Amino acid sequence: MIQVQVNTDHHIQGGESLNASVTRLVEQAIGRFESQLTRVELHLNDVNSHKGGDADVRCMIEARITGHEPIAVTEHAVNVEQAVRQAAAKMERALDSVIGKRQERDKRQKMV
């Protein structure tokens, strides 16, 4: 299981229920990279809490990859679930790129 640390601002209701659902969404998207990740941090903020409006929930996900600099993605959406889903999908693509390049490099080095 991926270690997911969930952080919220004071405008978003946190708690066990939110942590469990967010962790589940993140694991569904990037669980296949589990062996190469040390930790995933997720930050949820309501950027226009006092105004309301479209796409005012921000989800930033930072993944710590073994032997690599951390990578981060950010997504804005109308609600927490949508923001997390979109950010997790973006992180999956980013990890595919970073880890795929590293695997190709390692493969080439073994052939030499």
Side-chain angles (χ1 to χ4, degrees):
M1 180 168 11
I2 299 173
Q3 179 184 349
V4 179
Q5 180 180 340
V6 180
N7 303 294
T8 62
D9 68 8
H10 58 277
H11 297 289
I12 295 179
Q13 290 284 53
E16 285 301 312
S17 175
L18 177 68
N19 288 351
S21 65
V22 165
T23 298
R24 191 175 339 93
L25 291 172
V26 170
E27 286 179 344
Q28 287 172 351
I30 63 173
R32 65 189 168 107
F33 301 107
E34 177 181 5
S35 66
Q36 296 161 39
L37 299 174
T38 58
R39 187 175 75 213
V40 174
E41 289 188 37
L42 190 136
H43 298 270
L44 292 168
N45 306 90
D46 190 343
V47 293
N48 290 333
S49 60
H50 59 287
K51 296 180 187 176
D54 292 342
D56 64 342
V57 175
R58 181 179 75 93
C59 177
M60 192 278 291
I61 300 176
E62 181 181 279
R64 307 217 174 217
I65 306 168
T66 305
H68 194 278
E69 292 291 316
I71 58 174
V73 299
T74 302
E75 195 63 48
H76 290 82
V78 296
N79 61 47
V80 169
E81 181 181 352
Q82 191 176 35
V84 172
R85 282 186 190 279
Q86 291 172 355
K90 192 182 275 190
M91 179 57 75
E92 179 182 21
R93 292 188 299 274
L95 289 171
D96 262 335
S97 177
V98 169
I99 292 172
K101 287 177 185 175
R102 183 165 65 178
Q103 288 172 341
E104 283 299 314
R105 183 190 70 230
D106 292 348
K107 193 177 185 180
R108 282 193 304 271
Q109 287 176 347
K110 286 180 182 176
M111 297 174 95
V112 173

